[in-house]
């Protein structure tokens, strides 16, 4: 955004009084108008080829960062404790005092406050700073704009204040920020992918050991097409935490006899059979799904290495059906899109992606068919749900990029 345009937006915001009360608007206006960044960060969203709801069960996932990002500009200001943050995308301004970090009523602020809190818990010294945020990532689309926000913010502060946090520390503290401040008990996949990815590779991440293998994303004449349902059912957060609990309950039962078991990763199908009465039918379905999905990730790695897109696509469809019927985190809009894709021979695989209850499907589709297919599926989706479908083509890209001036 050029300087004049930025100035106009600020002026407009002050007139409309959309900015929260601050001591002196004119000073802020002038200051942000002259923003000279000391650090810039490009923080990507992520896709996940396969391995859904396995991360918090210490299983396998196969995500990658994408070429769609949140961009940050940072600079120190003259204050000891004042943080001033402006989101160009949402035309929103927030101020925080580093000595009084607590949860906010405005949910987007909690991603940032959580990061500040975790950094300060590491006994790292921050002082006043300004930050401008600009996002290309749609919210609620399942491409993890939240991890991009947390990790980008943490990485920028790390660079601005020379905090010496490692990439892994940034991943972990960003996950904790989301767990503790946002209240979403998420696993580590999104933050890991956003920070650690390599261009044109998927990460096969073992969420038990946190060992990562980079698998070349050789998808031949295909592309990865995300179809955004543009729905985000409000069950998402509570059901996410419930699924996690259902899995942990089963582990607790099995642990009583097998004390070495600490997560579903150490659980076998035989153990599930042995304890099926105690675990109960619902949790049992969830556990079966997780064990199957872990196997699918390993088979996907092999299929990718062999260049077998047909096998890879079948694993994607199987993953979706597991999420639909066993883990029960899909929704009619996502199922419709996967059903619509399934009989097209130029689409190798399709599945819901991320936490579920809305967001995107990820489709492995022949590149030259994308345009016509999108028109066809968009029309059918509109007729069925009266909602406009949005396409997002993505390529696996590098993780967080930091530029210091
Ligand atoms: C969300 C969470 C991740 C992961 C996925 C489901 O994106 O943030 O940790 O659990 O859902 O695979």
């Amino acid at each position: 955004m050029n300087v004049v345009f930025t100035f106009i937006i600020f002026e407009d915001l002050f007139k409309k009084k959309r900015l929260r009360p601050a001591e002196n608007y004119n000073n802020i206006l002038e200051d942000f108008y002259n923003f000279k960044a000391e650090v810039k960060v490009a923080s990507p969203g992520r896709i996940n080829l396969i391995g859904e709801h396995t991360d918090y069960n210490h299983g396998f996932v196969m995500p990658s960062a994408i070429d769609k990002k949140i961009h940050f500009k940072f600079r120190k200001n003259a204050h000891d404790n004042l943080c001033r943050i402006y989101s160009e995308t949402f035309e929103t301004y927030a101020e925080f005092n580093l000595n009084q970090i607590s949860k906010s009523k405005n949910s987007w602020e909690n991603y940032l406050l959580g990061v500040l809190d975790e950094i300060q818990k590491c006994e790292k010294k921050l002082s006043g700073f300004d930050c401008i945020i600009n996002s290309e990532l749609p919210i609620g689309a399942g491409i993890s704009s939240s991890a991009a926000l947390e990790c980008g913010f943490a990485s920028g502060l790390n660079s601005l204040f020379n905090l010496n946090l490692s990439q892994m520390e940034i991943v972990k503290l960003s996950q904790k920020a989301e767990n503790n401040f946002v209240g979403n008990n998420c696993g580590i996949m999104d933050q890991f992918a956003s920070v650690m990815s390599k261009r044109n590779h998927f990460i096969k991440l073992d969420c038990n050991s946190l060992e990562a293998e980079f698998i070349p994303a050789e998808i031949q004449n295909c592309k990865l097409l995300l179809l955004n349902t543009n729905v985000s059912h409000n069950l998402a957060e509570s059901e996410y935490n419930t699924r996690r609990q259902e899995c942990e309950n089963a582990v607790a039962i099995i642990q009583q006899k097998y004390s070495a078991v600490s997560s579903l990763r150490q659980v076998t199908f035989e153990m599930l059979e042995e304890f099926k009465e105690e675990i109960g039918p619902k949790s049992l379905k969830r556990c079966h799904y997780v064990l199957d999905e872990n196997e699918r990730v390993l088979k996907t790695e092999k299929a990718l290495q062999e260049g077998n897109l047909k096998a890879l696509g079948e694993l994607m469809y199987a993953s979706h059906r597991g999420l639909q019927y066993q883990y029960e985190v899909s929704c009619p809009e996502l199922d419709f899109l996967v059903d619509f894709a399934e009989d097209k021979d130029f689409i190798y695989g399709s599945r819901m992606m991320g936490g579920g209850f809305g967001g995107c499907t990820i489709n492995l589709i022949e590149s030259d068919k994308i345009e016509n297919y999108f028109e066809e599926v968009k029309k059918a989706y509109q007729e069925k749900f009266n909602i406009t479908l949005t396409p997002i083509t993505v390529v696996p890209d590098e993780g967080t990029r930091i530029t210091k001036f």
Side-chain angles (χ1 to χ4, degrees):
M1 181 176 297
N2 67 36
V3 171
V4 176
F5 190 40
T6 309
F7 185 83
I8 291 169
I9 283 185
F10 272 96
E11 199 176 44
D12 197 39
L13 281 171
F14 293 129
K15 277 190 207 137
K16 289 184 193 157
K17 294 208 181 346
R18 294 219 326 254
L19 290 180
R20 297 218 333 246
E23 276 167 26
N24 189 334
Y25 284 154
N26 286 331
N27 283 354
I28 298 169
L29 175 64
E30 213 167 285
D31 271 7
F32 274 71
Y33 171 59
N34 288 317
F35 206 99
K36 191 160 177 290
E38 292 172 56
V39 172
K40 286 188 184 176
V41 178
S43 181
R46 66 102 189 88
I47 47 171
N48 186 23
L49 186 61
I50 200 158
E52 219 64 87
H53 286 275
T54 43
D55 60 351
Y56 54 82
N57 286 306
H58 292 194
F60 297 105
V61 292
M62 203 176 280
S64 167
I66 54 174
D67 54 336
K68 310 281 179 291
K69 331 243 169 189
I70 301 182
H71 301 273
F72 297 80
K73 287 186 227 168
F74 292 88
R75 68 172 184 201
K76 292 185 194 126
N77 63 31
H79 304 269
D80 287 342
N81 296 306
L82 179 66
C83 319
R84 306 185 300 180
I85 295 158
Y86 176 60
S87 161
E88 286 181 342
T89 320
F90 300 106
E91 298 184 2
T92 313
Y93 174 80
E95 280 188 3
F96 309 134
N97 179 335
L98 286 170
N99 289 333
Q100 290 162 21
I101 298 296
S102 60
K103 284 187 196 169
S104 162
K105 292 193 294 293
N106 302 323
S107 65
W108 77 276
E109 293 179 9
N110 285 322
Y111 295 92
L112 308 177
L113 287 162
V115 167
L116 291 174
D117 190 49
E118 292 300 329
I119 289 181
Q120 297 199 119
K121 275 195 210 151
C122 303
E123 307 202 344
K124 299 286 183 182
K125 184 82 193 100
L126 299 171
S127 63
F129 66 91
D130 300 333
C131 173
I132 294 182
I133 305 175
N134 191 312
S135 177
E136 303 162 4
L137 301 178
I139 287 177
I143 55 176
S144 214
S145 54
S146 47
L149 187 58
E150 295 144 7
C151 296
F153 192 57
S155 302
L157 295 176
N158 189 35
S159 171
L160 188 68
F161 294 108
N162 299 314
L163 302 179
N164 279 323
L165 292 164
S166 68
Q167 283 184 310
M168 201 58 213
E169 283 172 314
I170 287 179
V171 167
K172 287 187 175 169
L173 78 79
S174 299
Q175 182 198 8
K176 274 198 205 142
E178 183 149 347
N179 295 161
N180 298 337
F181 258 68
V182 183
N184 186 8
N185 222 354
C186 66
I188 201 164
M189 169 172 76
D190 302 348
Q191 291 77 10
F192 195 98
S194 184
V195 173
M196 303 287 198
S197 289
K198 282 191 193 165
R199 180 164 296 170
N200 289 328
H201 286 78
F202 295 110
I203 307 174
K204 189 196 101 188
L205 176 64
D206 177 338
C207 299
N208 199 36
S209 62
L210 294 183
E211 249 167 66
E213 258 176 74
F214 291 89
I215 320 259
E218 275 158 21
I219 52 171
Q220 302 158 30
N221 59 338
C222 286
K223 281 207 169 115
L224 294 167
L225 169 69
L226 308 185
L227 293 177
N228 189 356
T229 59
N230 286 310
V231 298
S232 178
H233 295 291
N234 54 11
L235 289 170
E237 235 167 66
S238 62
E239 288 295 308
Y240 185 94
N241 291 343
T242 308
R243 291 299 174 282
R244 194 171 172 152
Q245 197 54 58
E246 285 165 344
C247 295
E248 285 169 6
N249 290 348
V251 169
I253 291 167
I254 296 170
Q255 234 168 22
Q256 289 170 11
K257 177 164 172 198
Y258 297 100
S259 55
V261 165
S262 61
S263 71
L264 277 183
R265 180 63 181 283
Q266 294 90 31
V267 169
T268 61
F269 286 105
E270 290 71 34
M271 289 177 188
L272 291 179
E273 182 60 27
E274 188 180 341
F275 291 98
K276 66 179 182 199
E277 299 305 328
E278 294 92 319
I279 293 172
K282 213 191 223 179
S283 281
L284 197 65
K285 270 205 293 194
R286 313 295 192 230
C287 297
H288 271 276
Y289 161 78
V290 172
L291 268 59
D292 285 340
E293 184 76 349
N294 279 332
E295 284 183 3
R296 282 190 284 265
V297 177
L298 301 180
K299 287 184 185 157
T300 297
E301 178 184 12
K302 189 159 173 281
L304 264 175
Q305 279 160 348
E306 289 170 354
N308 189 345
L309 294 194
K310 196 165 175 299
L312 165 54
E314 277 163 16
L315 291 160
M316 291 171 74
Y317 282 120
S319 167
H320 183 79
R321 298 306 172 198
L323 290 156
Q324 179 179 5
Y325 296 117
Q326 291 175 289
Y327 218 67
E328 296 180 288
V329 290
S330 187
C331 64
E333 294 84 354
L334 289 164
D335 296 338
F336 176 86
L337 294 177
V338 174
D339 293 347
F340 201 84
E342 204 161 19
D343 64 349
K344 313 284 182 295
D345 57 5
F346 53 87
I347 302 181
Y348 291 84
S350 177
R351 55 181 288 275
M352 57 150 274
M353 194 180 73
F357 301 102
C360 289
T361 58
I362 176 167
N363 302 273
L364 182 63
I365 177 172
E366 288 178 9
S367 313
D368 58 351
K369 303 292 192 313
I370 289 180
E371 216 171 295
N372 287 347
Y373 178 68
F374 179 67
E375 287 313 314
E376 188 187 345
V377 66
K378 182 182 173 192
K379 188 162 172 278
Y381 187 78
Q382 183 83 42
E383 272 165 22
K384 173 93 181 161
F385 299 105
N386 200 20
I387 302 171
T388 305
L389 192 67
T390 327
I392 314 173
T393 42
V394 289
V395 288
D397 202 0
E398 63 179 344
T400 325
R401 190 183 335 127
I402 302 154
T403 318
K404 200 161 183 173
F405 298 90

